[in-house]
Amino acid sequence: MNTKILSVDDDPAILRLLEMVLKNAGYEVYSTTSGEMVPSLIQTIQPSLIILDIELPDSNGIDLVQIIRQYTQAPIMMLSGKNSDIEKISSFHSGADDYVVKPFSVAELVARVQAILRRLGNPVSQQENAPVPVKERNIVIQLESDQHRVFIGSQELFLTQKEFHLLQLLLDEKGKVLSRELILDKIWGINNVEIETRAVDACISRLRKKVKSVLGHDVIEAVPGFGYRLTI
């Protein structure tokens, strides 16, 4: 079964281009120009990846990310005609996984899609199907890599693909300080000078809030000038 990708853009020419290059790369592509149609399409198609224009005539892409997260944790790649730090950071904070500026290189876009989906199918941990339990003050943090599910005690924690792999990396290297550059390479899979380390900081921020909401305290420590580490 082909991997399904949902493309959302108000420009039919962009949709045709994405459909052509992604189909040539072996993906099954569905397209729409309407943000309002996205929730129903997600439920019908169940895409593995969503490519989302940030400016739609009927929706704001950043706001739409938050709506999408109510239906799926599939990775989201944002498309934008603006090379704006504010939009990039807002996109990552809302739950997006990547940000591509128009006009984009077709080869680079396909490479990013492949990197995202490769990470989705091949988690950071080498023990892909084995749960990774970690005890923290008598609470067990367990990652089920084959199902991409996380439990803290008996409570399930709903993470995006990037957040899941980031937590898995921190658990695999617990106690060690991981640089932003290392995290960017391990989780995003390609060196992206546009995203740089802002994506890491945004993803860390979201993950910290989600874990803290269950544990009641931070277990991810920022080490100024170096990076982050798990303090379990």
Side-chain angles (χ1 to χ4, degrees):
M1 182 181 295
N2 289 341
T3 300
K4 298 176 182 179
I5 297 176
L6 174 60
S7 298
V8 188
D9 200 294
D10 65 337
D11 187 343
I14 293 290
L15 291 179
R16 288 194 296 269
L17 175 63
L18 291 173
E19 184 174 352
M20 180 183 69
V21 298
L22 293 172
K23 281 187 175 180
N24 286 341
Y27 302 112
E28 190 173 332
V29 184
Y30 298 82
S31 302
T32 182
T33 58
S34 171
E36 292 182 353
M37 289 293 296
V38 170
S40 62
L41 286 170
I42 288 172
Q43 294 177 80
T44 302
I45 299 167
Q46 297 185 350
S48 297
L49 172 69
I50 299 166
I51 300 177
L52 177 63
D53 186 20
I54 208 166
E55 293 182 356
L56 297 168
D58 61 355
S59 306
N60 176 281
I62 293 174
D63 293 337
L64 189 54
V65 170
Q66 299 177 45
I67 295 173
I68 289 171
R69 285 291 172 240
Q70 299 174 27
Y71 296 89
T72 180
Q73 295 302 311
I76 300 172
M77 176 185 289
M78 305 297 288
L79 296 183
S80 176
K82 299 178 181 178
N83 190 8
S84 163
D85 285 348
I86 294 175
E87 278 197 351
K88 290 177 186 178
I89 294 169
S90 296
S91 296
F92 293 130
H93 275 298
S94 68
D97 298 274
D98 202 352
Y99 187 102
V100 176
V101 178
K102 301 176 185 178
F104 50 80
S105 158
V106 169
E108 181 184 358
L109 183 134
V110 173
R112 292 197 196 186
V113 167
Q114 291 172 337
I116 289 173
L117 293 173
R118 185 168 59 248
R119 294 292 179 183
L120 184 63
N122 298 281
V124 173
S125 174
Q126 297 301 310
Q127 298 179 341
E128 294 187 358
N129 296 317
V132 183
V134 177
K135 290 185 178 180
E136 204 284 321
R137 298 186 183 180
N138 298 320
I139 296 177
V140 174
I141 301 177
Q142 181 167 296
L143 275 67
E144 296 181 357
S145 299
D146 55 342
Q147 298 293 324
H148 285 258
R149 300 179 72 184
V150 179
F151 293 89
I152 298 181
S154 60
Q155 183 170 338
E156 185 168 4
L157 195 65
F158 296 97
L159 303 180
T160 66
Q161 178 236 356
K162 287 290 189 296
E163 292 163 1
F164 180 91
H165 289 150
L166 177 55
L167 178 58
Q168 194 167 45
L169 176 63
L170 290 168
L171 288 170
D172 289 345
E173 304 292 338
K174 61 184 177 186
K176 298 180 182 178
V177 179
L178 305 182
S179 69
R180 290 175 175 83
E181 291 76 17
L182 183 145
I183 294 172
L184 184 64
D185 179 63
K186 292 287 186 181
I187 304 303
W188 274 260
I190 55 175
N191 292 323
N192 187 334
V193 294
E194 290 180 356
I195 294 179
E196 296 177 339
T197 58
R198 288 186 293 270
V200 174
D201 293 335
C203 195
I204 285 280
S205 176
R206 296 196 308 270
L207 180 59
R208 290 174 82 172
K209 289 178 182 177
K210 290 181 180 181
V211 173
K212 185 178 179 179
S213 70
V214 177
L215 290 178
H217 60 278
D218 275 331
V219 293
I220 300 174
E221 179 186 6
V223 181
F226 292 94
Y228 299 95
R229 67 180 169 195
L230 196 66
T231 58
I232 292 175

